[in-house]
Amino acid sequence: MALCSSSSSSSSQKTWIVHGILAGTAIATAAAIGAHAYLGRRSRKFRSRVVGIIPARYASSRFEGKPLVKILGKPMIQRTWERSKLASTLDHVVVATDDERIADCCRGFGADVIMTSESCRNGTERCNEALEKLEKEYDVVVNIQGDEPLTEPEIIDGVVKALQVAPDAVFSTAVTSLKLEDGVDPNRVKCVVDNRGYAIYFSRGLIPFNKSGRVNPDFPYMLHLGIQSFDSKFLKVYSELQPTPLQLEEDLEQLKVLENGYKMKVIKVDHEAHGVDTPEDVEKIESLMRERSLS
């Protein structure tokens, strides 16, 4: 399948990713203070075995059956799986679901499926359960959003490499520039990072928020993209951590990582987010795919 960006934009995107990774390399240290509890001694091939997991559930308050909705004739979960398979860092890609309708669909187009319980509270917990059921062991787990049918393989590779070169981080993710009109949209999660490329905070509100109470057109606000990767050992720890106040208030699972004092590496990429949150988004995605000559 063709990539969803032109060659020039793809080159620009890869430049962003390289800058993000180099920033992480510059500050990475072997004596990872926050990682000692579960990483232990580093091997020569640090975090080399990588699996991509696409958590998918049928029930949704805003869009029931979303993974199976057709995007130009193919189920959305299939399009996400096909895009993910193009990532060079992934040794394996699986779908994790608790619904037989999704499982049957995925097996039909050739995907490996791991059945998980209905008790998983979020995609991260579903990824952890799937990881425990996989026959092989992996060092890194990439949580790939099933409602992002235009997932960029280069972004998947970028977040994996960012985690591989930052041993003091347990989690990595990506951000892109926020459109000013999305500044007050609670469905668009914003992120702020420190000078070394580590996450400070995520919010559904605009951050930073200046004293004028208005969006500053000159400030480089950042939009969080759904893709994220975990150190596999930490993923087990994460699932055992109790929900935290900020996590519950914002309804953002990555805040539980930060509230417990763990580090999260963030890379910036040039990408226009096109997730499917409501039925109305399907037409927008299809229109965009036609413009980019994607089938």
Side-chain angles (χ1 to χ4, degrees), residues 5-265:
S5 57
S6 65
S7 58
S8 59
S9 62
S10 178
S11 176
S12 173
Q13 174 180 286
K14 290 176 182 177
T15 300
W16 277 111
I17 294 173
V18 168
H19 287 328
I21 295 172
L22 289 177
T25 305
I27 55 87
T29 60
I33 298 175
H36 279 170
Y38 54 90
L39 287 182
R41 182 172 301 203
R42 290 180 59 185
S43 64
R44 291 179 62 186
K45 293 184 178 180
F46 187 55
R47 292 172 173 164
S48 61
R49 299 167 298 180
V50 186
V51 61
I53 301 179
I54 306 173
R57 65 190 185 99
Y58 193 89
S60 172
S61 59
R62 289 185 296 177
F63 195 173
E64 187 175 45
K66 181 168 63 172
L68 302 183
V69 67
K70 294 293 181 66
I71 305 289
L72 293 184
K74 288 184 180 180
M76 180 168 63
I77 189 71
Q78 179 178 355
R79 291 199 173 277
T80 302
W81 177 80
E82 289 176 345
R83 301 290 296 167
S84 302
K85 294 280 285 185
L86 298 176
S88 62
T89 55
L90 300 184
D91 298 307
H92 191 33
V93 179
V94 301
V95 175
T97 185
D98 60 4
D99 192 280
E100 285 294 345
R101 289 164 291 187
I102 295 175
D104 289 343
C105 173
C106 293
R107 294 187 187 106
F109 59 74
D112 288 333
V113 178
I114 300 293
M115 296 304 297
T116 55
S117 68
E118 296 181 359
S119 63
C120 295
R121 292 170 293 183
N122 52 52
T124 304
E125 290 189 5
R126 197 173 303 281
C127 284
N128 181 56
E129 184 177 336
L131 177 66
E132 293 176 346
K133 293 182 177 181
L134 287 171
E135 295 179 358
K136 294 183 179 180
E137 293 187 358
Y138 293 94
D139 306 308
V140 175
V141 177
V142 186
N143 181 345
I144 302 169
Q145 300 298 302
D147 57 4
E148 289 275 354
L150 297 184
T151 296
E152 295 281 4
E154 293 89 351
I155 296 179
I156 295 175
D157 292 335
V159 297
V160 170
K161 293 174 182 177
L163 190 60
Q164 289 172 332
V165 300
D168 55 346
V170 299
F171 183 116
S172 65
T173 190
V175 296
T176 192
S177 297
L178 176 74
K179 294 180 180 180
L180 294 183
E181 59 266 30
D182 291 333
V184 295
D185 185 347
N187 293 316
R188 297 298 192 184
V189 177
K190 295 78 176 176
C191 175
V192 287
V193 302
D194 66 19
N195 291 333
R196 301 185 302 160
Y198 289 89
I200 297 175
Y201 193 67
F202 295 84
S203 180
R204 294 185 181 278
L206 184 66
I207 52 173
F209 191 77
N210 61 54
K211 62 183 180 180
S212 73
R214 297 189 296 270
V215 176
N216 178 1
D218 298 320
F219 190 87
Y221 299 103
M222 290 186 289
L223 170 69
H224 179 229
L225 301 178
I227 187 167
Q228 49 203 25
S229 69
F230 293 86
D231 178 274
S232 62
K233 295 184 180 66
F234 173 73
L235 186 56
K236 295 180 175 62
V237 173
Y238 174 92
S239 297
E240 296 173 356
L241 295 174
Q242 293 299 309
T244 54
L246 295 176
Q247 174 201 1
L248 295 173
E249 182 64 20
E250 296 263 18
D251 191 21
L252 296 173
E253 56 189 274
Q254 61 267 35
L255 289 177
K256 185 165 74 168
V257 179
L258 298 180
E259 284 186 86
N260 279 282
Y262 294 99
K263 288 191 174 184
M264 186 183 305
K265 196 72 179 71

